[in-house]
Amino acid sequence: MNRTRHIERRRWRHRWRHSLRARLLTVFLLLAFAMTAVFIVGMQSTFASGWREAGVPLVSDYANRLAAEIGSPPDVSRAEALAARLPLAIRIQGPTVNWESHPDRTERRGFDSRAGEMLGRTTADGHRISFGIGTLPWQRGPHRFGWVTLALLLALIVFAYAYVRRLLRPLDDIRAGAERFGAGDFDKPIPLRRKDELGELARRINTMAHDIRGMLDAKRALLLALSHELRSPLTRARLNAELLPATIEGLPERDALLRDLNEMRDLISDLLESERLASPHAALQREPVDLAALVRETVAEMPHAAAVELDLATDLAPCQLDRTRVRLLLRNLLDNALRHGADAAEPPRVSLQSSGEGGGVALQVRDFGPGVDDAQLAHLTEPFYRTDSARQRTTGGVGLGMYLCRLVAEAHGGSLSVRNASPGLQVDVLLD
């Protein structure tokens, strides 16, 4: 129990340290209490000095008049009338009369203090009449005044919190806007609610986001234009290479040239597709797709994929998917599994099951190769990332395959994750 309380206190302190709103509210309340305390102490000091200079003679004269009205010997009935009419506590001590107006009150009334000595009078017959504070008007209903004070204090706290929250509302807008801009959504700018420093900060961030969007759009347009322009000369070069005489001496050079041209063609196609899918408005041509049948078709079309083991559920309903993009995902995952698991004891394995989450499907592709270092797993779906830093030609690919697979999965509202399966690498894809 104590450990739980300690953890909760630590969490509260952590939230307080990292919350500008909470710290401002705390400073506001502490300042209000400090100002109240200073005001009360100052007023008390002022009244105390004024009492000593002007109030003591008046009170002393008033005490003389009260003692004279009670008389000598003291008349208890007169003392009772004074205690009932005025907020006074009266005590009479002497040889014949011993009486007190508030015998049931146990707290001290100042009879024995320095002020009590000043307010006490001795009559001619030897009786001592002492005056003190009786029942004040506000003491007749202490609970009501206490609750009113507490309610006012709570109202002050609520008002202070609401005002501070209103002052800091632009920070919430800026945070939400930064998250949108970081995700690539520049359509909705940060709302400008005020014209103070925070409003100026929001305006500058909107300007920065607009400039970043312009640079990204220009980069994307340039890349798409270059890719389109390169396709035509690349197609002509490939056609000319295929028309070269197939002589025994020139056949190796011709095949090598065709491989390079094919690799350039695939690179351009992957670049175009990645730019289309990376756009926040990626258009998918969705249609009912039998995903199990599509997996079998893709495996049958790929060379060296006949040994791939298939574990496909037979009761899957058709899914609304973009057939071309999903086929691209399957080909890239199978190509990676076949390439990196070529020398493994077991062939790659493809599993397809229902995810059980709103009709989605879970695709799993695993090879039994050497796998990769754990530190590299998080980078495998980044563009142009390859585990072999030397980029040897024998490994194949340019580092766009896994990136495209992730884009395809996310465009369908799903996700892609990679982990070491020991042995081999396992890729899990969720499609909605």
Side-chain angles (χ1 to χ4, degrees):
M1 187 67 178
N2 293 333
R3 178 178 176 81
T4 303
R5 292 178 180 176
H6 178 68
I7 294 175
E8 289 297 328
R9 285 195 296 267
R10 288 186 60 184
R11 288 178 179 174
W12 185 89
R13 286 195 297 266
H14 181 269
R15 288 195 296 267
W16 184 85
R17 291 193 190 100
H18 293 80
S19 174
L20 180 60
R21 184 183 295 110
R23 284 184 288 170
L24 284 177
L25 183 59
T26 302
V27 170
F28 177 84
L29 293 177
L30 291 177
L31 182 61
F33 288 132
M35 292 179 63
T36 303
V38 170
F39 176 78
I40 292 175
V41 171
M43 293 301 294
Q44 286 180 342
S45 300
T46 301
F47 280 117
S49 60
W51 164 261
R52 285 190 297 269
E53 295 175 2
V56 170
L58 295 176
V59 173
S60 178
D61 181 72
Y62 189 63
N64 292 333
R65 293 177 180 275
L66 292 176
E69 185 173 349
I70 293 175
S72 179
D75 189 340
V76 175
S77 61
R78 293 181 180 179
E80 289 178 347
L82 286 175
R85 188 174 77 250
L86 302 174
L88 291 175
I90 304 174
R91 185 172 68 182
I92 303 175
Q93 294 174 311
T96 59
V97 179
N98 287 280
W99 177 82
E100 187 170 350
S101 61
H102 295 76
D104 55 335
R105 300 280 293 271
T106 58
E107 65 269 19
R108 296 181 60 189
R109 305 202 154 268
F111 292 136
D112 301 325
S113 65
R114 183 178 178 182
E117 291 293 330
M118 182 183 66
L119 296 177
R121 295 293 182 270
T122 302
T123 62
D125 59 348
H127 286 83
R128 179 69 178 177
I129 304 177
S130 301
F131 299 98
I133 302 299
T135 302
L136 298 175
W138 58 81
Q139 291 177 331
R140 298 191 183 105
H143 298 292
R144 182 185 63 182
F145 286 102
W147 284 112
V148 170
T149 303
L150 179 60
L152 290 176
L153 180 61
L154 293 176
L156 176 65
I157 294 174
V158 172
F159 174 77
Y161 178 80
Y163 184 70
V164 171
R165 183 175 179 83
R166 181 176 178 274
L167 285 178
L168 299 181
R169 187 177 180 184
L171 289 180
D172 296 333
D173 296 333
I174 292 173
R175 179 183 60 189
E179 292 176 352
R180 291 195 303 272
F181 299 156
D185 181 10
F186 298 97
D187 293 332
K188 184 179 179 182
I190 300 173
L192 303 178
R193 302 183 185 276
R194 297 205 306 267
K195 297 182 179 181
D196 54 7
E197 291 84 353
L198 291 179
E200 178 65 17
L201 176 62
R203 187 186 67 80
R204 290 178 180 270
I205 293 177
N206 284 337
T207 302
M208 179 188 69
H210 181 268
D211 295 340
I212 293 175
R213 181 177 186 176
M215 289 188 292
L216 292 176
D217 290 343
K219 185 266 296 183
R220 182 175 292 112
L222 177 62
L223 184 59
L224 292 175
L226 287 175
S227 300
H228 280 292
E229 292 299 325
L230 285 174
R231 276 188 165 183
S232 297
L234 183 62
T235 302
R236 291 194 298 269
R238 188 173 183 275
L239 179 61
N240 292 330
E242 290 177 348
L243 294 176
L244 288 175
T247 61
I248 298 177
E249 295 80 4
L251 188 59
E253 289 79 5
R254 177 177 178 273
D255 292 340
L257 179 59
L258 286 174
R259 282 197 303 270
D260 290 341
L261 291 174
N262 289 335
E263 185 175 343
M264 293 178 64
R265 178 199 60 194
D266 295 340
L267 173 60
I268 292 174
S269 298
D270 289 347
L271 283 173
L272 288 172
E273 190 63 26
S274 65
E275 287 301 317
R276 294 191 188 100
L277 290 173
S279 172
H281 305 291
L284 298 179
Q285 302 296 324
R286 290 182 179 264
E287 58 179 309
V289 175
D290 186 346
L291 195 53
L294 183 60
V295 171
R296 295 189 186 93
E297 292 174 9
T298 305
V299 170
E301 294 171 356
M302 296 184 64
H304 311 296
V308 173
E309 294 184 4
L310 300 179
D311 179 18
L312 310 178
T314 58
D315 57 346
L316 292 178
C319 304
Q320 293 292 328
L321 303 173
D322 188 315
R323 177 184 293 272
T324 304
R325 267 61 182 271
V326 174
R327 186 189 298 273
L328 174 65
L329 179 144
L330 291 170
R331 288 183 63 88
N332 283 332
L333 292 181
L334 285 170
D335 182 67
N336 283 339
L338 290 169
R339 185 168 61 250
H340 296 291
D343 300 328
E346 297 183 49
R349 181 180 302 162
V350 178
S351 173
L352 183 64
Q353 304 293 332
S354 173
S355 66
E357 300 177 1
V361 291
L363 173 68
Q364 182 184 101
V365 180
R366 177 187 175 181
D367 64 71
F368 293 86
V372 299
D373 294 336
D374 291 337
Q376 296 179 326
L377 287 175
H379 303 286
L380 290 180
T381 57
E382 295 177 358
F384 300 105
Y385 181 83
R386 289 176 58 178
T387 56
D388 56 320
S389 58
R391 293 181 178 267
Q392 299 174 357
R393 183 178 296 274
T394 55
T395 58
V398 294
L400 280 175
M402 292 296 290
Y403 174 60
L404 275 174
C405 292
R406 177 171 67 86
L407 292 179
V408 171
E410 292 176 352
H412 284 83
S415 61
L416 181 145
S417 60
V418 186
R419 67 180 181 90
N420 277 315
S422 300
L425 198 69
Q426 178 173 311
V427 181
D428 294 299
V429 181
L430 179 64
L431 298 174
D432 288 340

